[in-house]
Every structure is written in structure tokens, then in C-alpha cells.
């Protein structure tokens, strides 16, 4: 590891489908209400793709092109693709390979990160180390999710389905040059697999005691839909995202007051409010997107970054703390000078 080499975010972008699905739209297909969703989650609307043709790699492709344009680098300069998703195009190969082909690139490594809502910070962490090692100069780090077609849209699935949206976000991670103020200060990633089944999709899978990845029985039991212990997720999310913030600030001998902008994973506005209350963070330093985009899992943080930039809340030179939590359970944080 060459400690003198640092990585920086040289480009940021996102891509959201045009179709807006409001809570009132959901009221028409399942037994739920706008008020219940807003009170419990803060979500007002989300984006869902139209029809059945668009894929996760399509969303990732659009966000990637925009991030490369923002970084002002040609796609031929990309040394590696890291794609975080829980809604892959297929069981295998990884969606990063499909994205690579769509981008017209070949030979460079293309890796899927399957860490759900923590996927983007896991990918950022891995990319950062590849740059610090001196091996690569430009890495495309993407979070992309197509949740809507994988959700149970009947009343039985309402606790999960109302929470999720589709979208993609991407950053270009580049080797910082001498004199660059902008850089990734640190990343920290964690997991605790004893909670793996508190938020999961059992099928397709080969651990269900059947002779196929997916059977009619699995479908009948709805094993191909996400299952969640909402209360356990809630409690662990607040605890772990707070720990993550302490870990990244302590590691850099910085105080939380030094942070200019906090970007939290957007699972539920009440989770973010719980963190803000406990840490007494100034609300104006916290940027949320959940009201309009819901939880876009691995795409949430890069989408948040892009919108914070677009809306003038994130400017070059600012100290930004990212903190996330997700299925696995997994969690992580990052501190960066944008
Ligand atoms: N609309 C209307 N009612 C709903 C509903 C919906 N979409 N989903 C659940 N309910 C009902 C339940 O059936 C239950 O009814 P009952 O009291 O008659 O049994 C009632 O609302 C309360 O359900 P409960 O699960 O106790 O609600 P909650 O206060 O725990 O809130 C979550 C549910 C999902 C909003 C909350 O647990 C949560 O946000 N957890 C974290 C989830 C998360 O962040 N997941 C992604 C992680 S990365």
C-alpha cells in the first residue's frame, strides 16, 4: 500500500426512472394509506420503471455515462467497474459484466458487490484500496437497483413494498493528484451474519432443500419476495449508523462538528431522525432524499450525493460523512473531502 496515494471522487451522477409512484397510487393496489406510509417512513413517492424491459444494468449504464461526463474522462480510462446491487439482472454472471458490455468496455475487471444497502460503501471502500495500492487510476463505482419488479405488490407484502424505489447512482473514483484538496479520508465496513435472515430474499437459492434454484413451491410460499423483521432492522440501523459515524470521525481525529454534510442511507426517515436526535446533529447538515425516491438500497448514497450537489448543498471542499446499514446485517461509513 502506498500511503501517499489517495483517491478522490472526480465525478458524480444519478439516473432515476421518469415514472413517479405516489403513496396514493399504492393505495389503489394494496391495503395501505398515504398517511400510514408518511407517518411511519417519511416516504411520499418513489420512482418505479415502466414496463418489464428495463434492467438494473440499463439504469447503471445511464448513471455511469453521466458520472464519466461529470468527471470529464473518457470511458476508455476506466480501469475497473464495481457495481453494487441486490437486484441483479440474472443469478450469474454479475450485473457488472452486463454493464461493462453496455459501456463497450472489455478486459477490465467488473465486480458485483452484493451487500444490499451497504453495497455502495463496500464498493467505495474496495475501490479506494485499489487506488491507494497504486494499481488503478480510475474506477467506476455504481449502485443500481430495480426493486419494483421484485416486490410483492399485494397487501401481504405491503410492509416491504412501500419502502423501495428504483434508481441508480455512480461515482468515478480517481487517483488524487498532488495538491488535490479532495480525497477519501477513510472507509470502514462491517457485517454480522447472525442476522442474515432478518431481511432477505430466500429464493432463488440452493439452500432451500430442493433440487432447483426456484420451484413452484418457492413461488407459492412467496420465497422470491423480500422478508423483513422491520423492528429489528430499525433498532440495529440506528445503533450501527451512529457507530459508523463515530468510527470515521475518531479514525481521522475529527469531531462530528467538523463535518459539513451528513448523508445517511435512506431506509426510513424515522431512522435518520433517531440518529440526528441522539447525536444532536444540526438538521441543516443532513441531506435526505427518501421523501421523493424512497429506499433505493445500494443506489441511495450516490443518488443523495448527486442531488445534494444539484441542490447546492454539497460543494467542493466540504467534509462529508456517509453512513449506511443494510441486510446482512451490514454497515459502514466513509469520510471524504469532496
Ligand atoms: N400500510 C398500512 N399498514 C401497514 C403497512 C402498510 N404499508 N405495513 C404494515 N402495516 C401494519 C401492520 O400489518 C401492523 O398492523 P397490525 O397492528 O394490525 O398487526 C401495523 O401496520 C404495525 O406494523 P409494524 O410492523 O409494527 O409497524 P412499524 O411501526 O414497525 O413500522 C416499518 C413498520 C417497516 C415502517 C418499520 O418497522 C421500519 O421502517 N423498519 C425498518 C425497515 C427498513 O428500514 N428496511 C430497509 C432496511 S435497509
Amino acid at each position: 500500500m502506498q500511503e501517499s496515494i489517495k483517491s478522490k471522487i472526480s465525478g458524480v451522477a444519478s439516473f432515476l426512472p421518469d415514472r413517479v409512484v405516489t403513496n396514493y397510487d399504492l393505495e389503489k393496489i394494496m391495503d395501505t394509506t398515504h398517511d400510514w406510509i408518511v407517518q411511519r417512513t417519511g416516504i411520499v413517492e418513489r420512482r418505479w420503471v415502466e414496463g418489464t424491459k428495463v434492467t438494473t444494468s440499463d439504469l447503471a449504464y445511464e448513471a455511469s455515462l453521466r458520472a464519466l461526463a461529470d468527471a470529464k474522462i473518457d470511458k476508455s480510462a476506466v480501469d475497473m467497474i464495481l457495481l453494487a446491487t441486490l437486484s441483479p439482472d440474472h443469478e450469474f454472471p454479475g450485473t457488472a459484466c452486463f454493464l461493462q458490455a453496455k459501456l463497450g468496455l472489455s478486459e477490465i475487471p467488473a465486480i458485483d458487490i452484493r451487500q444490499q444497502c451497504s453495497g455502495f460503501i463496500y464498493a467505495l471502500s474496495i475501490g479506494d484500496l485499489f487506488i491507494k495500492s497504486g494499481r488503478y487510476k480510475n474506477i467506476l463505482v455504481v449502485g443500481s437497483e430495480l426493486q419494483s419488479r421484485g416486490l410483492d405488490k399485494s397487501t401481504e407484502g405491503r410492509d416491504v413494498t412501500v419502502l423501495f424505489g428504483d434508481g441508480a447512482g455512480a461515482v468515478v473514483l480517481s487517483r488524487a493528484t498532488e495538491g488535490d484538496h479532495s480525497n477519501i479520508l477513510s472507509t470502514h465496513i462491517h457485517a454480522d451474519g447472525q442476522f442474515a435472515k432478518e431481511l432477505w430474499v430466500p429464493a432463488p437459492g440452493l439452500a432451500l432443500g430442493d433440487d432447483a434454484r426456484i420451484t413452484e413451491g418457492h413461488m407459492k410460499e412467496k420465497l422470491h419476495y423480500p422478508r423483513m423483521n422491520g423492528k429489528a432492522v430499525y433498532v440495529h440501523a440506528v445503533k450501527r449508523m451512529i457507530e459508523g459515524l463515530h468510527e470515521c470521525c475518531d479514525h481521522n481525529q475529527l469531531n462530528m462538528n467538523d463535518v459539513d454534510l451528513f448523508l445517511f442511507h435512506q431506509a426510513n426517515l424515522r431512522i435518520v431522525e433517531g440518529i440526528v436526535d441522539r447525536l444532536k446533529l444540526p438538521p441543516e447538515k443532513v441531506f435526505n432524499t427518501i421523501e421523493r425516491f424512497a429506499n433505493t438500497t445500494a443506489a441511495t448514497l450516490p443518488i443523495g450525493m448527486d442531488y445534494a450537489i444539484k441542490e447546492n448543498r454539497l460543494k467542493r471542499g466540504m467534509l462529508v460523512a456517509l453512513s449506511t446499514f443494510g441486510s446482512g446485517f451490514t454497515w459502514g461509513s466513509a469520510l471524504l473531502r469532496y
Side-chain angles (χ1 to χ4, degrees):
M1 196 70 57
Q2 301 180 39
E3 279 304 326
S4 55
I5 301 181
K6 289 191 164 54
S7 72
K8 65 167 182 180
I9 290 185
S10 55
V12 184
S14 63
F15 181 79
L16 277 305
D18 289 337
R19 180 181 165 211
V20 175
V21 176
T22 65
N23 294 340
Y24 297 107
D25 294 326
L26 295 183
E27 282 182 5
K28 292 177 200 147
I29 57 171
M30 62 178 75
D31 182 12
T32 191
T33 63
H34 170 77
D35 291 347
W36 190 97
I37 299 171
V38 172
Q39 276 164 20
R40 306 280 177 129
T41 73
I43 298 165
V44 174
E45 59 188 41
R46 71 286 291 138
R47 303 296 179 93
W48 281 3
V49 296
E50 198 79 60
T52 55
K53 297 284 184 279
V54 178
T55 66
T56 295
S57 60
D58 289 335
L59 301 177
Y61 172 74
E62 299 295 342
S64 299
L65 289 185
R66 291 177 182 187
L68 290 167
D70 189 49
K72 298 186 180 56
I73 69 161
D74 188 78
K75 62 186 181 180
S76 60
V78 174
D79 299 310
M80 175 161 81
I81 297 170
L82 293 168
L83 172 66
T85 187
L86 63 65
S87 47
D89 286 4
H90 298 282
E91 274 296 292
F92 73 82
T95 307
C97 293
F98 291 99
L99 171 61
Q100 188 205 45
K102 283 177 184 169
L103 286 168
L105 299 174
S106 62
E107 299 193 3
I108 60 166
I111 303 174
D112 271 35
I113 312 285
R114 296 290 302 269
Q115 299 324 110
Q116 306 69 245
C117 299
S118 305
F120 180 75
I121 287 194
Y122 266 69
L124 196 69
S125 187
I126 294 165
D128 180 48
L129 291 174
F130 266 103
I131 287 182
K132 280 185 178 148
S133 74
R135 171 143 344 165
Y136 295 135
K137 281 191 180 153
N138 294 299
I139 300 177
L140 190 55
V141 181
V142 191
S144 184
E145 301 289 5
L146 197 154
Q147 312 272 6
S148 56
R149 293 213 303 272
L151 297 169
D152 178 0
K153 296 182 201 78
S154 73
T155 294
E156 223 180 310
R158 64 184 179 176
D159 60 327
V160 172
T161 298
V162 302
L163 302 176
F164 291 105
D166 301 338
V171 304
V172 179
L173 207 55
S174 302
R175 183 188 288 189
T177 48
E178 218 170 299
D180 249 332
H181 195 42
S182 162
N183 67 77
I184 309 278
L185 277 72
S186 65
T187 59
H188 293 92
I189 50 177
H190 300 278
D192 191 346
Q194 67 177 306
F195 298 108
K197 294 185 178 176
E198 299 293 0
L199 175 51
W200 69 315
V201 180
L206 292 168
L208 296 166
D210 291 292
D211 200 19
R213 286 192 171 85
I214 184 103
T215 66
E216 277 178 30
H218 298 161
M219 306 276 286
K220 224 166 146 197
E221 281 183 66
K222 298 195 170 192
L223 296 179
H224 58 305
Y225 290 134
R227 296 167 168 226
M228 176 178 75
N229 176 348
K231 288 197 170 62
V233 173
Y234 197 106
V235 170
H236 285 264
V238 173
K239 176 175 180 280
R240 296 305 194 180
M241 286 206 275
I242 288 176
E243 280 176 17
L245 285 182
H246 283 301
E247 188 171 27
C248 67
C249 286
D250 293 352
H251 180 85
N252 294 286
Q253 295 172 326
L254 287 166
N255 190 291
M256 259 181 238
N257 294 332
D258 297 321
V259 175
D260 297 308
L261 190 74
F262 294 90
L263 288 173
F264 294 106
H265 173 58
Q266 305 279 293
N268 182 324
L269 192 60
R270 310 297 161 233
I271 293 177
V272 175
E273 287 170 348
I275 298 168
V276 169
D277 277 359
R278 281 176 180 74
L279 295 177
K280 301 193 174 26
L281 302 177
E284 65 277 9
K285 284 191 175 184
V286 179
F287 187 75
N288 293 317
T289 52
I290 190 157
E291 298 93 330
R292 44 190 159 161
F293 303 137
N295 181 355
T296 52
T297 45
T300 303
L301 286 171
I303 290 174
M305 241 188 224
D306 188 37
Y307 275 79
I309 294 165
K310 282 182 172 137
E311 292 167 16
N312 234 5
R313 297 279 302 278
L314 173 54
K315 297 181 195 127
R316 284 283 175 198
M318 282 172 87
L319 188 65
V320 187
L322 313 179
S323 191
T324 195
F325 177 85
S327 151
F329 287 151
T330 53
W331 62 100
S333 61
L335 197 63
L336 60 97
R337 178 78 58 193
Y338 175 61

